[in-house]
Amino acid sequence: MSDEFDPLEARLKAALKAAPSPEAEARDRALALAMENFDRLQASGAEARPKEDRPRRAGFFQGARSMMNFLTSRPALAATTSVAALIVGVTVLLPVAENLTPPTTPKLAAPEAPDVPTSSVAEAGAPAEEKAGRVADPAPAKPADLVLEAAPAPAPEADMMPGAAGEARLAESDGDARARKEVPVGGAAPEAEAALADSGGAPDMYMVPAPSAVVAPMPAPEPMPYLEPNTEDYASAAANPVKITAEEPVSTFSTDIDTASYALVRSTLNMGVLPTPDQVRVEEMVNYFPYAYPAPEPGQAFRTTVSVMPTPWNPGTELVTIGLQGELPAMADRPALNLVFLIDTSGSMEDPNKLGLLKQSLALMLPELRPEDQVAIVTYAGSAGLVLPPTKAADRDTILAALDNLTAGGSTAGAEGLELAYRTAKTMQGEGEVSRILLATDGDFNVGVSDPEGLTSYVAKKREQDGTYLSVLGFGRGNLDDATMQALAQNGNGQAAYIDTLSEARKVLVDQLTGALFSIADDVKVQVEWNPGQIAEYRLIGYETRALKREDFNNDKVDAGEIGAGLQVTAIYEVTPVGSDAVLNDPLRYGTATATPAEGELGFLRLRWKAPGEDESQLIEQPITGQEPATTEARFAAAIAGFGQLLQGSVYLGKWSWDEAIDLALSARGDDPYGYRTEAITLMRLAQSLSK
Amino acid sequence: MLMDTPDETLAQAAAGGDRVAFATLVARHYDRIHGLAWRLTGIKAEAEDLAQDICAALPAKLRHWRGEARFTTWLYRVVVNAAHDLRRRQATRARASAGWGDWEIARQEEIAQAQAAQDWLMEAMARLSPELRDTVALVLGEEMTQAQAGEVLGVSEGTVAWRMSEVKKRLRAMAAEEAR
């Protein structure tokens, strides 16, 4: 349906209309198969409909989800309602929940209203219109009787094969959809998956067992309608394996200041569900918490703190914790800041937990800015637009009014919005100023990004060209594209945070604002060389999506993570000393004799980092002697690493259980001025109950 | 008599176990399923397989039909989702060509068809992302309104409009290249 006549479009249309007519044989085969399955289904007894189809976007699950979100965002309600009661009550409560949801934004006329007005689609039941949508159509619909006769006759085995194969494929894909997708590092989801997420529909083929296949019952209904897993996309990789020091003594990775995984885990647990292993990235959980590492010496960008302690979950190994503390420059002379809020106002954002929370969050942040800082707002929904031209932060009323006026509606033109945001950021750029785009989204980049890889390389290019950073704030659940978010922030040298509550917004945008907005070190790479004479095996806990090649360490062209002002990054190795009972790998019969005899150091730590805007990296080296004392901070980090691994069902924890994890966290709670650690312990208790 | 019964009535009856109603419904819509399957995949053999898979799955799927949408809209959605599944499987099988890339094989089969037009179609479709292909197949191929196509694809009318303008952009780029 084009507004004006377009010859090219008309040509495409004509070509598409010339669909080849179906073979009569194929048609008969398909119809026979349909009848066969119909009969089998009838014979199997017509149980109640096991699962809702989702004809409209705002369907059953959506409603249930928004209700769950709503309930969990109000602790008082959640606390009085047991999970079991929620499950039972879902169907009944649904309409109420829809009404309960406070409309912070005016409801838009739903574009996907169920009744279709007059249409050019063939009118049902009118035989004359059977041909609509086709040109060559030699086979008119057969009378029902004919089909009926053909149906019960079992088709020859050979003829059945394509159908059977097809069924198996479809059934398998159904399983696939429920299983989480593995996304390669960099988060570039395959194009087809993007298409799938885009369709908003789960591949919900329901299969009747084929004659040649094992007769299986109808798939059981999902036990709990908590999420549509296949519209969320997580960046994950298999947990790092145990490495043999003699074979691979060097371990290299990039720092990671993302915290999204912890907030996601929290939001999932608060829904009364255990997170799936791919939602858990241990290093992001560990790095969520502030640690009181010693501050860097004057003139140094950061300081490393190493501590060695016995592994809580394995008496035969030790934990080596490497903490990096970024310096906190005097904020009085911090450079002026140019912020572009790139706000997703697509229809899917219309939820108090998304756009509503987003507005509150950004409003919280405004008082933290200095009068000379500049703010601009770009929205993207259907088409991208500059909602607020660059405005001094002093003019808070104008900014607040612009924020307030945001409403959700339309689809997501993510790529267009990103381009506009970068253009806007460039116009704001002044000498010595820092520009950053804050992308706020629920991850639904459904338009214009047929190529996530192209998008991330675009972000990386802009970072190099204009020096504009990009951070990503995720909101809401349901179609959170964690993989794309992570990839964008990683390439934009920014942070990916997930904001599920106003207190999380406070943590990210107020308490740690300087860290989130000002980078003190870019491309921070960590390399540890373990001494095979001391350490038989080692394992890096987490950082799976951040692994670097050994040779990339010295290559300044290879991008890595940044460290924000005053922030900490923590990495934990579990190492097995030579001669320990806990060594997993037997020595090689034909291997070389053990290298250097046990001498001194456990390993050697190397760090490379660049001052922001510089091309050449600097090197910091420090031996790990094994004498470094364990601190409360390191023990709390270990407790959180244990928490993450328990959620992942890690094989390395042995019999170590929730009780021990909670005890360890309790004993290492330390100062905890903001209560983050206390909250983590509450979450561990919740996870413990849920996993029983 | 059944031939005049609206789809929705038939679907309701079929969902309730009416065999004749189901047979009528499938026979009536097979060509439609096949046509869209072809427009989505671009390969005749693929379209036939897809149509057959859908027919096989239809009895079970119909149970979830609640009459919230027009039957044809619902059916189109089933076809589009099945085509997505197919693409996904092809992608996991590391077959980079998503349907239209296999045009050469299909062309051998359909040598009698209007060659030039089809080659052009192949090239045009190959330039579009899967989302754009789906949209084009529905809006141009099935002559749906943007609202209807949006309903099938589960996106808003605005998205469909945006995608169609994107399609035009790519077609123009292609025409410009041809002219060179």
Side-chain angles (χ1 to χ4, degrees):
Chain A
M1 298 298 293
S2 58
D3 321 330
E4 77 269 40
F5 178 76
D6 183 329
L8 289 168
E9 197 180 287
R11 190 174 170 193
L12 182 57
K13 182 171 178 171
L16 275 173
K17 299 289 289 180
S21 48
E23 302 283 340
E25 208 179 296
R27 185 179 198 274
D28 292 346
R29 214 164 41 225
L31 295 187
L33 193 59
M35 292 318 294
E36 202 170 310
N37 278 344
F38 184 82
D39 290 341
R40 194 176 305 113
L41 194 63
Q42 293 308 320
S44 75
E47 312 90 356
R49 300 161 190 256
K51 183 184 147 196
E52 278 284 324
D53 199 0
R54 261 169 286 105
R56 288 181 295 134
R57 268 213 121 169
F60 177 80
F61 289 94
Q62 213 93 12
R65 196 172 55 226
S66 71
M67 182 192 74
M68 298 287 252
N69 284 347
F70 175 72
L71 287 180
T72 48
S73 67
R74 276 144 193 83
L77 257 180
T80 56
T81 317
S82 78
V83 174
L86 272 179
I87 304 170
V88 176
V90 155
T91 339
V92 185
L93 282 173
L94 178 59
V96 185
E98 301 266 272
N99 295 340
L100 273 174
T101 309
T104 48
T105 52
K107 282 253 177 207
L108 292 174
E112 58 271 292
D115 336 72
V116 183
T118 50
S119 68
S120 62
V121 178
E123 202 53 50
E129 289 189 62
E130 268 301 296
K131 296 198 177 193
R134 294 181 303 275
V135 170
D137 185 1
K142 286 186 184 169
D145 299 353
L146 258 179
V147 181
L148 283 178
E149 275 175 25
E157 193 63 19
D159 275 357
M160 290 306 300
M161 282 320 286
E167 286 197 8
R169 291 200 328 251
L170 282 170
E172 160 208 299
S173 88
D174 198 2
D176 276 352
R178 238 167 267 147
R180 300 298 179 134
K181 285 170 282 183
E182 285 271 313
V183 175
V185 183
E191 170 174 69
E193 291 190 356
L196 192 78
D198 177 31
S199 79
D204 43 4
M205 284 282 169
Y206 250 68
M207 297 313 310
V208 175
S212 55
V214 182
V215 176
M218 289 287 288
E222 302 263 340
M224 184 158 176
Y226 59 97
L227 284 175
E228 293 161 78
N230 51 342
T231 59
E232 294 196 342
D233 202 347
Y234 292 95
S236 63
N240 283 327
V242 168
K243 300 259 172 77
I244 302 172
T245 315
E247 290 173 5
E248 202 179 324
V250 179
S251 160
T252 312
F253 61 94
S254 149
T255 59
D256 185 355
I257 49 162
D258 292 350
T259 58
S261 181
Y262 179 80
L264 271 169
V265 165
R266 174 176 58 202
S267 131
T268 309
L269 284 173
N270 277 330
M271 284 183 207
V273 181
L274 278 177
T276 54
D278 65 350
Q279 288 174 331
V280 180
R281 286 191 293 276
V282 177
E283 78 279 12
E284 292 192 15
M285 294 183 65
V286 171
N287 284 331
Y288 177 88
F289 300 91
Y291 297 95
Y293 296 134
E297 306 283 331
Q300 295 289 315
F302 50 85
R303 172 163 174 175
T304 57
T305 305
V306 177
S307 67
V308 181
M309 60 188 260
T311 305
W313 50 82
N314 188 341
T317 63
E318 290 181 326
L319 282 191
V320 177
T321 308
I322 300 167
L324 307 183
Q325 169 72 52
E327 71 163 333
L328 190 61
M331 277 301 115
D333 39 74
R334 75 155 166 86
L337 183 65
N338 300 312
L339 273 184
V340 180
F341 297 154
L342 175 56
I343 299 176
D344 179 352
T345 50
S346 62
S348 59
M349 288 291 284
E350 192 186 332
D351 184 316
N353 267 334
K354 295 181 179 176
L355 195 57
L357 182 58
L358 186 158
K359 289 180 183 178
Q360 291 172 314
S361 309
L362 295 181
L364 268 189
M365 174 185 174
L366 283 183
E368 304 298 314
L369 298 178
R370 292 226 297 259
E372 66 273 20
D373 295 338
Q374 285 193 83
V375 173
I377 301 179
V378 174
T379 61
Y380 61 100
S383 57
L386 184 63
V387 172
L388 178 75
T391 306
K392 294 268 181 225
D395 197 357
R396 204 186 297 174
D397 291 343
T398 315
I399 300 171
L400 282 177
L403 269 180
D404 238 19
N405 281 333
L406 297 176
T407 50
S411 56
T412 314
E416 244 177 289
L418 203 59
E419 278 170 36
L420 181 58
Y422 273 113
R423 277 204 303 278
T424 311
K426 203 166 180 192
T427 62
M428 294 158 79
Q429 183 71 275
E431 191 58 36
E433 296 179 353
V434 175
S435 295
R436 184 180 291 269
I437 294 170
L438 272 185
L439 166 59
T441 179
D442 63 351
D444 199 2
F445 279 99
N446 63 6
V447 175
V449 189
S450 46
D451 177 15
E453 213 160 339
L455 192 66
T456 49
S457 61
Y458 176 78
V459 169
K461 196 181 83 195
K462 282 291 177 187
R463 183 199 69 223
E464 305 238 309
Q465 281 177 354
D466 308 350
T468 306
Y469 295 94
L470 175 81
S471 294
V472 186
L473 304 175
F475 287 86
R477 292 297 293 270
N479 49 8
L480 189 72
D481 190 351
D482 182 53
T484 308
M485 271 175 56
Q486 228 221 351
L488 285 178
Q490 213 157 315
N491 284 284
N493 269 11
Q495 190 187 27
Y498 173 70
I499 295 186
D500 55 345
T501 60
L502 202 56
S503 19
E504 181 64 18
R506 206 193 125 73
K507 173 178 185 282
V508 174
L509 295 172
V510 180
D511 301 342
Q512 299 178 357
L513 180 76
T514 34
L517 299 182
F518 295 96
S519 148
I520 49 138
D522 285 352
D523 290 349
V524 183
K525 298 171 191 170
V526 181
Q527 187 167 65
V528 182
E529 180 184 343
W530 295 107
N531 177 1
Q534 285 278 1
I535 303 297
E537 292 167 349
Y538 67 91
R539 173 172 78 97
L540 175 59
I541 303 175
Y543 288 94
E544 286 86 3
T545 62
R546 299 282 176 151
L548 289 177
K549 289 198 212 98
R550 182 175 168 180
E551 64 266 28
D552 288 346
F553 182 72
N554 288 327
N555 185 349
D556 285 350
K557 290 267 186 283
V558 175
D559 182 49
E562 61 162 8
I563 294 186
L567 291 191
Q568 304 87 30
V569 173
T570 303
I572 305 176
Y573 281 95
E574 182 178 352
V575 299
T576 317
V578 170
S580 161
D581 297 342
V583 173
L584 294 176
N585 296 285
D586 293 328
L588 291 176
R589 181 180 166 94
Y590 306 111
T592 47
T594 7
T596 47
E599 264 313 311
E601 299 168 0
L602 299 187
F604 199 66
L605 169 68
R606 293 187 187 88
L607 282 164
R608 274 200 180 277
W609 63 283
K610 294 176 192 161
E614 300 217 339
D615 291 335
E616 287 216 3
S617 66
Q618 308 181 37
L619 181 66
I620 297 178
E621 294 177 310
Q622 181 181 339
I624 302 171
T625 61
Q627 305 305 312
E628 293 87 352
T631 60
T632 313
E633 306 306 299
R635 288 198 299 129
F636 186 78
I640 295 301
F643 178 20
Q645 292 177 95
L646 280 170
L647 290 174
Q648 287 177 329
S650 168
V651 295
Y652 300 112
L653 295 189
K655 290 205 173 73
W656 203 67
S657 67
W658 288 108
D659 283 328
E660 283 134 323
I662 292 167
D663 285 348
L664 179 62
L666 270 177
S667 71
R669 205 164 21 168
D671 244 358
D672 198 22
Y674 295 106
Y676 301 140
R677 297 187 179 184
T678 310
E679 185 199 36
I681 293 162
T682 312
L683 284 180
M684 287 158 93
R685 290 209 174 96
L686 182 55
Q688 179 183 34
S689 311
L690 289 170
S691 55
K692 270 178 186 161
Chain B
M1 170 210 64
L2 270 175
M3 295 307 288
D4 300 331
T5 315
D7 289 343
E8 286 72 14
T9 316
L10 285 178
Q12 209 75 63
D18 186 333
R19 197 168 188 282
V20 180
F22 179 73
T24 314
L25 200 61
V26 188
R28 185 186 283 173
H29 290 290
Y30 176 81
D31 288 5
R32 186 190 300 282
I33 297 170
H34 179 272
L36 180 57
W38 181 82
R39 287 176 190 116
L40 290 171
T41 61
I43 301 168
K44 201 174 167 197
E46 208 105 277
E48 268 169 18
D49 283 357
L50 201 56
Q52 177 164 321
D53 290 352
I54 291 163
C55 283
L58 214 49
K61 288 200 74 68
L62 251 184
R63 298 194 155 197
H64 314 299
W65 188 66
R66 285 276 171 104
E68 276 130 344
R70 185 180 282 276
F71 177 76
T72 45
T73 305
W74 177 84
L75 186 64
Y76 278 131
R77 198 179 293 136
V78 169
V79 179
V80 168
N81 283 343
H84 282 177
D85 281 0
L86 182 68
R87 265 179 215 153
R88 215 157 63 90
R89 285 192 301 271
Q90 287 171 338
T92 47
R93 287 203 302 264
R95 272 179 47 191
S97 53
W100 286 96
D102 287 344
W103 182 261
E104 194 53 37
I105 305 156
R107 198 175 59 161
Q108 295 305 323
E109 290 169 12
E110 297 167 47
I111 206 89
Q113 302 242 347
Q115 202 69 274
Q118 297 292 24
D119 281 351
W120 183 84
L121 174 65
M122 175 271 291
E123 208 192 322
M125 291 300 264
R127 271 165 184 261
L128 304 180
S129 67
E131 293 94 325
L132 295 182
R133 264 182 247 161
D134 293 349
T135 313
V136 160
L138 292 172
V139 174
L140 297 181
E142 306 291 333
E143 293 186 287
M144 300 182 107
T145 63
Q146 293 182 345
Q148 287 163 345
E151 201 187 340
V152 170
L153 295 171
V155 300
S156 74
E157 194 177 343
T159 305
V160 176
W162 184 85
R163 286 186 189 174
M164 287 310 293
S165 72
E166 196 66 9
V167 168
K168 277 188 217 168
K169 234 189 269 175
R170 312 245 165 123
L171 287 180
R172 276 199 295 275
M174 183 174 151
E177 274 174 36
E178 275 170 7
R180 238 181 284 143

PDB file of all heavy atoms in Angstrom, chain A residues 30-42:
ATOM      1  N   ALA A  30      -0.233 -32.603   1.421  1.00  0.00           N
ATOM      2  CA  ALA A  30      -0.346 -31.729   2.596  1.00  0.00           C
ATOM      3  C   ALA A  30      -1.728 -31.848   3.225  1.00  0.00           C
ATOM      4  O   ALA A  30      -1.862 -31.921   4.445  1.00  0.00           O
ATOM      5  CB  ALA A  30      -0.052 -30.293   2.195  1.00  0.00           C
ATOM      6  N   LEU A  31      -2.739 -31.866   2.376  1.00  0.00           N
ATOM      7  CA  LEU A  31      -4.099 -31.928   2.904  1.00  0.00           C
ATOM      8  C   LEU A  31      -4.335 -33.265   3.615  1.00  0.00           C
ATOM      9  O   LEU A  31      -4.959 -33.318   4.670  1.00  0.00           O
ATOM     10  CB  LEU A  31      -5.110 -31.729   1.773  1.00  0.00           C
ATOM     11  CG  LEU A  31      -5.077 -30.347   1.117  1.00  0.00           C
ATOM     12  CD1 LEU A  31      -6.229 -30.181   0.130  1.00  0.00           C
ATOM     13  CD2 LEU A  31      -5.160 -29.250   2.171  1.00  0.00           C
ATOM     14  N   ALA A  32      -3.798 -34.328   3.025  1.00  0.00           N
ATOM     15  CA  ALA A  32      -3.968 -35.642   3.645  1.00  0.00           C
ATOM     16  C   ALA A  32      -3.304 -35.663   5.014  1.00  0.00           C
ATOM     17  O   ALA A  32      -3.877 -36.146   5.994  1.00  0.00           O
ATOM     18  CB  ALA A  32      -3.370 -36.725   2.747  1.00  0.00           C
ATOM     19  N   LEU A  33      -2.131 -35.089   5.068  1.00  0.00           N
ATOM     20  CA  LEU A  33      -1.392 -35.048   6.329  1.00  0.00           C
ATOM     21  C   LEU A  33      -2.158 -34.240   7.366  1.00  0.00           C
ATOM     22  O   LEU A  33      -2.240 -34.612   8.545  1.00  0.00           O
ATOM     23  CB  LEU A  33      -0.019 -34.428   6.080  1.00  0.00           C
ATOM     24  CG  LEU A  33       1.006 -34.564   7.197  1.00  0.00           C
ATOM     25  CD1 LEU A  33       1.267 -36.026   7.506  1.00  0.00           C
ATOM     26  CD2 LEU A  33       2.298 -33.881   6.790  1.00  0.00           C
ATOM     27  N   ALA A  34      -2.736 -33.140   6.916  1.00  0.00           N
ATOM     28  CA  ALA A  34      -3.520 -32.302   7.819  1.00  0.00           C
ATOM     29  C   ALA A  34      -4.660 -33.102   8.418  1.00  0.00           C
ATOM     30  O   ALA A  34      -4.905 -33.063   9.622  1.00  0.00           O
ATOM     31  CB  ALA A  34      -4.039 -31.083   7.063  1.00  0.00           C
ATOM     32  N   MET A  35      -5.365 -33.849   7.555  1.00  0.00           N
ATOM     33  CA  MET A  35      -6.514 -34.614   8.047  1.00  0.00           C
ATOM     34  C   MET A  35      -6.059 -35.708   8.998  1.00  0.00           C
ATOM     35  O   MET A  35      -6.693 -35.988  10.008  1.00  0.00           O
ATOM     36  CB  MET A  35      -7.281 -35.234   6.872  1.00  0.00           C
ATOM     37  CG  MET A  35      -7.991 -34.237   5.994  1.00  0.00           C
ATOM     38  SD  MET A  35      -8.842 -32.910   6.903  1.00  0.00           S
ATOM     39  CE  MET A  35     -10.109 -33.818   7.770  1.00  0.00           C
ATOM     40  N   GLU A  36      -4.948 -36.317   8.669  1.00  0.00           N
ATOM     41  CA  GLU A  36      -4.444 -37.388   9.510  1.00  0.00           C
ATOM     42  C   GLU A  36      -4.149 -36.875  10.914  1.00  0.00           C
ATOM     43  O   GLU A  36      -4.530 -37.493  11.910  1.00  0.00           O
ATOM     44  CB  GLU A  36      -3.173 -37.939   8.870  1.00  0.00           C
ATOM     45  CG  GLU A  36      -2.840 -39.336   9.306  1.00  0.00           C
ATOM     46  CD  GLU A  36      -1.725 -39.890   8.440  1.00  0.00           C
ATOM     47  OE1 GLU A  36      -1.838 -39.804   7.187  1.00  0.00           O
ATOM     48  OE2 GLU A  36      -0.748 -40.362   9.005  1.00  0.00           O
ATOM     49  N   ASN A  37      -3.468 -35.737  10.957  1.00  0.00           N
ATOM     50  CA  ASN A  37      -3.146 -35.159  12.258  1.00  0.00           C
ATOM     51  C   ASN A  37      -4.394 -34.715  12.992  1.00  0.00           C
ATOM     52  O   ASN A  37      -4.471 -34.797  14.211  1.00  0.00           O
ATOM     53  CB  ASN A  37      -2.186 -33.978  12.099  1.00  0.00           C
ATOM     54  CG  ASN A  37      -0.761 -34.453  11.954  1.00  0.00           C
ATOM     55  OD1 ASN A  37      -0.459 -35.601  12.252  1.00  0.00           O
ATOM     56  ND2 ASN A  37       0.109 -33.574  11.485  1.00  0.00           N
ATOM     57  N   PHE A  38      -5.353 -34.225  12.214  1.00  0.00           N
ATOM     58  CA  PHE A  38      -6.609 -33.802  12.823  1.00  0.00           C
ATOM     59  C   PHE A  38      -7.257 -34.993  13.517  1.00  0.00           C
ATOM     60  O   PHE A  38      -7.665 -34.935  14.673  1.00  0.00           O
ATOM     61  CB  PHE A  38      -7.532 -33.240  11.739  1.00  0.00           C
ATOM     62  CG  PHE A  38      -8.814 -32.690  12.282  1.00  0.00           C
ATOM     63  CD1 PHE A  38      -8.849 -31.415  12.801  1.00  0.00           C
ATOM     64  CD2 PHE A  38      -9.973 -33.448  12.305  1.00  0.00           C
ATOM     65  CE1 PHE A  38     -10.030 -30.900  13.316  1.00  0.00           C
ATOM     66  CE2 PHE A  38     -11.146 -32.945  12.821  1.00  0.00           C
ATOM     67  CZ  PHE A  38     -11.181 -31.660  13.323  1.00  0.00           C
ATOM     68  N   ASP A  39      -7.306 -36.109  12.783  1.00  0.00           N
ATOM     69  CA  ASP A  39      -7.937 -37.301  13.340  1.00  0.00           C
ATOM     70  C   ASP A  39      -7.185 -37.795  14.570  1.00  0.00           C
ATOM     71  O   ASP A  39      -7.777 -38.190  15.563  1.00  0.00           O
ATOM     72  CB  ASP A  39      -7.980 -38.407  12.282  1.00  0.00           C
ATOM     73  CG  ASP A  39      -8.969 -38.065  11.186  1.00  0.00           C
ATOM     74  OD1 ASP A  39      -9.834 -37.191  11.441  1.00  0.00           O
ATOM     75  OD2 ASP A  39      -8.866 -38.623  10.082  1.00  0.00           O
ATOM     76  N   ARG A  40      -5.873 -37.751  14.486  1.00  0.00           N
ATOM     77  CA  ARG A  40      -5.087 -38.246  15.608  1.00  0.00           C
ATOM     78  C   ARG A  40      -5.324 -37.382  16.842  1.00  0.00           C
ATOM     79  O   ARG A  40      -5.446 -37.876  17.963  1.00  0.00           O
ATOM     80  CB  ARG A  40      -3.600 -38.261  15.248  1.00  0.00           C
ATOM     81  CG  ARG A  40      -2.806 -39.083  16.251  1.00  0.00           C
ATOM     82  CD  ARG A  40      -1.356 -39.213  15.873  1.00  0.00           C
ATOM     83  NE  ARG A  40      -1.148 -39.741  14.556  1.00  0.00           N
ATOM     84  CZ  ARG A  40      -0.624 -39.040  13.567  1.00  0.00           C
ATOM     85  NH1 ARG A  40      -0.277 -37.787  13.773  1.00  0.00           N
ATOM     86  NH2 ARG A  40      -0.435 -39.575  12.386  1.00  0.00           N
ATOM     87  N   LEU A  41      -5.425 -36.096  16.592  1.00  0.00           N
ATOM     88  CA  LEU A  41      -5.656 -35.175  17.700  1.00  0.00           C
ATOM     89  C   LEU A  41      -7.009 -35.440  18.347  1.00  0.00           C
ATOM     90  O   LEU A  41      -7.147 -35.444  19.562  1.00  0.00           O
ATOM     91  CB  LEU A  41      -5.581 -33.743  17.184  1.00  0.00           C
ATOM     92  CG  LEU A  41      -5.472 -32.666  18.243  1.00  0.00           C
ATOM     93  CD1 LEU A  41      -4.183 -32.842  19.008  1.00  0.00           C
ATOM     94  CD2 LEU A  41      -5.492 -31.301  17.592  1.00  0.00           C
ATOM     95  N   GLN A  42      -8.003 -35.669  17.497  1.00  0.00           N
ATOM     96  CA  GLN A  42      -9.336 -35.957  18.030  1.00  0.00           C
ATOM     97  C   GLN A  42      -9.294 -37.242  18.842  1.00  0.00           C
ATOM     98  O   GLN A  42      -9.876 -37.339  19.910  1.00  0.00           O
ATOM     99  CB  GLN A  42     -10.352 -36.092  16.883  1.00  0.00           C
ATOM    100  CG  GLN A  42     -10.606 -34.804  16.142  1.00  0.00           C
ATOM    101  CD  GLN A  42     -10.956 -33.648  17.060  1.00  0.00           C
ATOM    102  OE1 GLN A  42     -11.687 -33.823  18.023  1.00  0.00           O
ATOM    103  NE2 GLN A  42     -10.426 -32.478  16.784  1.00  0.00           N
TER     104      GLN A  42
END
